Amino acid sequence: MYCYYSLAGLNYKNGFVTCCPRQADHLFYQKEEFLPSKIINSRNFLNLRKKLLNDEWPSGCDTCEEMENSSLKSMRQDFILENDNRFYNNKSAELQLSEYANSTILQNLNTDYSMNYDGIRHVELRFSNLCNFSCLHCSDVYSSKWEHIIKNYGKTKLDHQFELSQLLGKEHRKYDDEDLKIDLSVEQVELIVDDLCKNFKNIERIDFSGGEPLYQKQFWKALEKIQEHPNLKKMYCCFHTNLNSDFDIECLVDLLNGFMGCSIIISVDGSSKIYEYFRKGGKWNNLISNIDKLKIAKQRFQKKITCTTSAYQLLDIQNIFNDFLDIDLQIETSIVQSPKYINPSILKYDLYDELICDFEMTKNMIENHKNVKMKEVALRNLISIENYFKSINLGYRYYNSFLAYVKRMDEIHQMDFNKHYMRYQYLDGEIIKNE
């Protein structure tokens, strides 16, 4: 199995480094070394490539394996290998031709499964878990606000009974007792980017994730230092943001204009009705105001809005797509696969017919929406969510855990599910359709 990310990717996570956002194995611990040139050909990276190239799924690639076994498109399939042995992006229009270097990725693959530095194309950096939100699908690994929740409200008897991993401090961790977190200093970030500039001349894409990048001084330092990279004019930059913090738009635009192109992925993850419920700490009006500022700024980069789709989003799917079309930016969606108790597929056990009806109503709404140019992409994303909902089957116990989680989140945040959801209501520990 050819996987672009396993060959050409480097992804900094919470205290360890792997090859992509989906890969969960601890291939290299940052406390041992954090420079890319010291990591990319370490023992576990070699074993990962060896397994995939010999048609064996590594343990940390289970999310891609699960999706492909269910006939769904996985992240591994973002890139396809053509006859000239070049990888082509199968997902993003602006990156259909993914290799600009003289030598292809496969030409830089050695017989011992090591990669020449010239073969590395994609780097994703996370700096810390500092964030101004505590979203309901997140955890303390990616949110400093979640650290506060666990310290003050988590690990109750109910949390253990229903295995609410976020409140137990276990979510986004391979081992329950591991003490890892995203923690790169400004000085370390400078050294990492210097290493990228010196040794990895063919990087085509650099991604930044959080925490909240715009909230972190390391992000601004990384953007400043990467301007020295010899391939900057052929490099694509992408970063994910909640766009709900104060930041210098002019400074951001200046730093991004040096790249060949850039995407700002704005994590909206809700409609105007549920945004402030699901994205605790966020303000809908502030989001829209910042989006408007980006729209009028002089720039050459793309702005996309994304819906990370959990069970919460599925219960408000029509309003979400309506508001996304009103915002009038490129639309993307993804699925919350973990924790399983908010995976959207768990709702099929009690609400299958109701949600199938919601999908049809949403399709009709999209067809009749005034935003003609975004109809096709909106429908494609909606159908992808629907197919996932229909295809994935998890245990009923996860649905019961979701019901417990709704109760716990409402208690902790002093919120009321029923004030934000119109079509469904949470009554006596159950979710029912609002007649």
Side-chain angles (χ1 to χ4, degrees), residues 158 162 277 312 315 399-411 415-434:
L158 189 70
F162 289 97
Y277 175 85
Y312 282 101
L315 295 171
Y399 179 66
N400 286 327
S401 294
F402 172 64
L403 297 175
Y405 185 67
V406 172
K407 177 182 178 180
R408 289 284 286 129
M409 286 293 97
D410 277 11
E411 291 173 348
M415 302 186 299
D416 186 351
F417 178 98
N418 295 335
K419 289 183 178 179
H420 297 269
Y421 287 85
M422 302 296 108
R423 187 164 170 78
Y424 297 92
Q425 293 285 279
Y426 181 76
L427 299 172
D428 299 324
E430 297 288 343
I431 293 178
I432 61 171
K433 181 181 177 182
N434 192 16

Side-chain angles (χ1 to χ4, degrees), residues 379-397:
L379 279 172
R380 184 167 66 247
N381 279 276
L382 178 67
I383 291 170
S384 177
I385 295 170
E386 181 181 19
N387 288 341
Y388 184 90
F389 171 73
K390 290 178 177 178
S391 301
I392 300 299
N393 295 297
L394 300 175
Y396 190 85
R397 67 186 179 95

Side-chain angles (χ1 to χ4, degrees), residues 62-173:
D62 56 317
T63 54
C64 283
E65 181 182 14
E66 176 187 84
M67 294 192 77
E68 291 184 32
N69 287 341
S70 300
S71 300
L72 298 170
K73 187 173 177 292
S74 72
M75 188 171 181
R76 184 185 73 86
Q77 296 166 323
D78 284 354
F79 289 84
I80 56 175
L81 190 66
E82 295 289 2
N83 293 332
D84 60 354
N85 285 332
R86 292 181 182 270
F87 283 95
Y88 293 82
N89 194 295
N90 196 33
K91 180 180 180 182
S92 181
E94 69 271 11
L95 288 174
Q96 284 184 359
L97 291 177
S98 63
E99 293 199 59
Y100 302 97
N102 292 328
S103 59
T104 69
I105 290 171
L106 291 186
Q107 286 174 329
N108 284 283
L109 172 66
N110 301 310
T111 55
D112 64 351
Y113 301 101
S114 65
M115 290 295 301
N116 300 329
Y117 293 161
D118 285 358
I120 304 306
R121 303 292 200 264
H122 190 168
V123 177
E124 180 166 350
L125 294 173
R126 292 173 179 82
F127 309 112
S128 89
N129 72 341
L130 185 63
C131 187
N132 51 335
F133 282 10
S134 55
C135 302
L136 301 190
H137 63 332
C138 199
S139 74
D140 63 311
V141 169
Y142 298 111
S143 166
S144 52
K145 298 285 188 181
W146 259 100
E147 282 190 298
H148 175 79
I149 290 173
I150 293 173
K151 180 179 178 181
N152 292 281
Y153 305 106
K155 302 184 180 180
T156 67
K157 182 178 179 180
L158 189 70
D159 301 337
H160 285 283
Q161 178 184 350
F162 289 97
E163 300 179 46
L164 303 181
S165 56
Q166 293 157 286
L167 288 164
L168 296 174
K170 297 180 179 180
E171 184 59 24
H172 297 124
R173 287 182 167 86

